[in-house]
Amino acid sequence: MEDETELPVRPRTQIQSRVLLLTICAAGIGGTFQFGYNLSIINAPTLYIQEFINETWQARSGKPQPDHLILLVWSLIVSLYPLGGLFGALLAGLMAIRLGRKKSLLVNNSFVVAAAIMFGFSRKARSCEMIMLGRLLMGVNAGVSMNIQPMYLGESAPKELRGAVAMTSAIFTALGIVTGQVVGLSEFLGSRQVWPWLLASCLVPGVLQLTTLPLLPESPRYLLIDCGDTDACLAAMKRLRGTGDVTGELEELEKERAACQGHHAQSPWELLQNPTLRRQVYAYASSVFREAGVPEEKIQYTIIGTGSCELLTAFISCVVIERVGRRVLLMTGYCLMTCWGSIFTAALCLQSFFPWMPYLAMSCIFAFILSFGIGPAGVTGILATELFDQKARPAAYTICGVLMWTMLFLIGLVFPFIMEGLSHLVYVPFVCVCICGAIYTGLFLPETKGKTFLEISKELQRLNLPRQTGRPRWTGPEVIQSTKV
């Protein structure tokens, strides 16, 4: 009799528990996977696109384009991707509230379709401007998904798995980078004849997301706290958790909802003014390895190694993050990156004196990327979900996205000129950033492992306003319906 009652439950629980995994995959394939994929595929056809730029200029003006102008146009093609990401980050907060987390990811694929059309017909139209526009549109797509995907997954996961689930964003980024590097090999789509199809292949992940994500639930937190729909929230939680008892988690959400009542969703400027919340390179990979002395014919395979390193460490971090915590991973990653970046700089300076220095320099690049994957690659994406409550989270992601994409745009635009100007000292600015990151993490970042969102908010309030911890911060009834971005 006991067996008869258990047999129907086990398969159903297994089926329902797979919903969270499917949600992770559906959100990731059209989200951070797309970001990593488009970040890396532009590297393979570098020479062919530069030739295309020159041919287009010559066909229009009757004379070849000067080398420095070719470099400038190429830098624009690369840097328009993060510029689009900046625009996407500004859109993400508004979309996340008005459309919801899941629907925002689906609507976001309209940029992918438009970009794929631009890429696919750019050579026939003899228009490098179509490549630029396509890169800009893909950047907008990445800016939206890089903000909304970790928000969606972080709000959908139970607290004991929240770190691991949120780390999957970094796994999909690394997986996208590796996939783009492999597809970009000359044996596949990285040849002179088919490079437009390489750029247009971004359509495939978009189609996969459009066919799978509609079948999966919306974020339970969004449904309850933003929309005030308890029944939809309960249904989504049951699908994501299985047939287990979700009463305790629903009570936690109700407490968070009560804590957020009486406060509208914050704009980025309001978030920066709030004293309780205020604290919280692949496109040029060939050039870096060339500078390190790697033989030209080996560079494309060496680049695949870098992406594989990041993918490996993303998997490792996903496994250990709930054991060692966010703070330890971040500090370890920043400290190791500082170490390897310093050794890499010394190796570049001494490569003319010792024949084995290029190998040391290449090893340092791999070690630097491994160290990046240990912590900063994934943990930084989790923090905006965990350090901010529901009313502040969209604005927090907007600020994080704006900062990240602004830096990517500036690096993409000026990195070739940094290499020319600093030469062997090209990594020194990045080492300085890593040192600052390690110091700030050690001094100010609280550990969030295993805590509810409400517990984290109270701890931040205690740290930032120690004299006012006795005061209740949230009162009054209100359901959040919109955000000001």
Side-chain angles (χ1 to χ4, degrees), residues 189-352:
L189 295 180
S191 63
R192 188 186 303 273
Q193 292 76 25
V194 295
W195 64 261
W197 296 109
L198 172 64
L199 301 182
S201 62
C202 61
L203 184 63
V204 176
V207 170
L208 287 174
Q209 186 176 73
L210 284 171
T211 55
T212 55
L213 192 59
L215 306 175
L216 298 163
E218 176 60 275
S219 157
R221 270 184 169 78
Y222 171 78
L223 292 171
L224 180 64
I225 300 175
D226 290 83
C227 299
D229 193 338
T230 305
D231 293 336
C233 169
L234 190 59
M237 285 178 63
K238 285 182 177 179
R239 288 192 65 194
L240 289 165
R241 306 292 182 264
T243 56
D245 184 15
V246 296
T247 306
E249 192 171 356
L250 187 61
E251 289 176 358
E252 176 205 324
L253 285 182
E254 289 287 1
K255 289 179 183 177
E256 188 178 346
R257 179 188 184 184
C260 291
Q261 284 178 345
H263 293 260
H264 63 77
Q266 294 183 359
S267 69
W269 177 244
E270 289 173 324
L271 181 64
L272 290 173
Q273 290 178 312
N274 188 338
T276 65
L277 299 172
R278 191 180 294 139
R279 286 182 176 173
Q280 290 83 286
V281 166
Y282 283 93
Y284 294 112
S286 298
S287 304
V288 174
F289 283 115
R290 200 172 289 117
E291 182 75 15
V294 178
E296 188 71 33
E297 67 276 6
K298 302 290 185 183
I299 287 178
Q300 63 175 342
Y301 303 105
T302 307
I303 291 171
I304 294 177
T306 62
S308 301
C309 285
E310 188 174 341
L311 179 60
L312 173 64
T313 51
F315 272 112
I316 294 172
S317 296
C318 184
V319 173
V320 304
I321 187 170
E322 294 298 347
R323 297 181 182 179
V324 302
R326 287 70 158 146
R327 196 165 174 267
V328 172
L329 285 179
L330 264 182
M331 287 192 65
T332 302
Y334 281 132
C335 291
L336 289 175
M337 288 166 70
T338 301
C339 173
W340 298 121
S342 302
I343 297 174
F344 176 76
T345 301
L348 287 182
C349 294
L350 297 173
Q351 67 178 347
S352 58

Side-chain angles (χ1 to χ4, degrees), residues 77-226:
I77 289 174
V78 171
S79 57
L80 279 172
Y81 184 61
L83 181 62
L86 175 60
F87 296 148
L90 292 170
L91 283 173
L94 182 62
M95 290 177 66
I97 295 295
R98 295 290 172 85
L99 301 178
R101 283 45 164 165
K102 186 179 82 168
K103 191 179 290 185
S104 294
L105 290 174
L106 293 172
V107 171
N108 193 32
N109 284 291
S110 59
F111 299 112
V112 177
V113 175
I117 293 171
M118 293 292 171
F119 291 141
F121 293 99
S122 59
R123 188 162 62 180
K124 286 188 177 181
R126 294 185 179 181
S127 172
C128 56
E129 292 83 3
M130 291 179 70
I131 300 176
M132 292 181 181
L133 181 57
R135 289 286 290 175
L136 184 69
L137 291 172
M138 285 310 303
V140 175
N141 169 267
V144 171
S145 61
M146 286 284 286
N147 283 5
I148 294 180
Q149 181 192 332
M151 193 190 311
Y152 175 44
L153 296 180
E155 292 177 0
S156 300
K159 68 177 181 180
E160 62 272 11
L161 293 176
R162 191 173 61 231
V165 169
M167 275 295 294
T168 59
S169 297
I171 291 176
F172 277 100
T173 299
L175 186 61
I177 288 170
V178 174
T179 305
Q181 290 165 346
V182 172
V183 174
L185 290 173
S186 55
E187 293 87 347
F188 296 108
L189 295 180
S191 63
R192 188 186 303 273
Q193 292 76 25
V194 295
W195 64 261
W197 296 109
L198 172 64
L199 301 182
S201 62
C202 61
L203 184 63
V204 176
V207 170
L208 287 174
Q209 186 176 73
L210 284 171
T211 55
T212 55
L213 192 59
L215 306 175
L216 298 163
E218 176 60 275
S219 157
R221 270 184 169 78
Y222 171 78
L223 292 171
L224 180 64
I225 300 175
D226 290 83

Side-chain angles (χ1 to χ4, degrees), residues 449-467:
K449 179 184 69 172
K451 298 177 181 176
T452 66
F453 288 122
L454 196 56
E455 290 170 344
I456 295 168
S457 294
K458 288 179 179 178
E459 182 173 350
L460 284 171
Q461 186 179 1
R462 179 181 60 80
L463 291 172
N464 293 322
L465 293 176
R467 297 179 182 177

Side-chain angles (χ1 to χ4, degrees), residues 54-66:
N54 188 40
E55 290 168 4
T56 303
W57 180 274
Q58 195 164 2
R60 294 174 182 178
S61 65
K63 56 183 179 180
Q65 191 173 32

